[in-house]
């Protein structure tokens, strides 16, 4: 499983930003639409809020691929 590392000064990353950082999306607009359409899961549950705060240990699933948020 790939990871998205939080910056040392941050306690969280927003879902839309995490999708871009993981390489799942090229732009925030693409991330916004995929999230709103219910194509993204966080910890096994569909998440439709682009601003959802992800913390250490959260897992994003998109198109059958998973990424873990790490501190």
């Amino acid at each position: 499983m790939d990871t998205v590392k939080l910056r040392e000064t941050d306690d969280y990353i927003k879902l839309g930003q995490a999708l871009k950082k993981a390489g799942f999306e090229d732009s925030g607009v693409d991330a916004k639409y995929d999230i709103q359409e219910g194509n993204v899961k966080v910890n096994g549950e569909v998440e439709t809020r682009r601003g959802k705060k992800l913390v250490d240990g959260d897992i994003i699933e998109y198109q059958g691929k998973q990424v873990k948020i790490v501190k």
Side-chain angles (χ1 to χ4, degrees):
M1 178 183 307
D2 290 333
T3 60
V4 169
K5 186 162 174 49
L6 295 172
R7 290 186 284 186
E8 288 186 28
T9 57
D10 292 340
D11 292 326
Y12 67 88
I13 186 170
K14 292 182 180 178
L15 180 55
Q17 294 170 327
L19 287 176
K20 290 190 303 184
K21 194 168 182 179
F24 290 155
E25 299 287 3
D26 292 328
S27 73
V29 173
D30 291 338
K32 175 183 174 179
Y33 290 130
D34 272 331
I35 294 166
Q36 286 179 342
E37 292 172 6
N39 297 328
V40 180
K41 291 183 180 181
V42 175
N43 299 324
E45 300 288 329
V46 172
E47 181 57 65
T48 57
R49 297 173 292 166
R50 179 174 61 155
K52 165 76 173 164
K53 293 179 181 179
L54 305 175
V55 296
D56 184 47
D58 283 342
I59 297 174
I60 304 167
E61 186 176 339
Y62 177 71
Q63 294 184 340
K65 298 177 187 171
Q66 292 185 333
V67 171
K68 185 174 185 175
I69 306 300
V70 295
K71 181 73 177 162

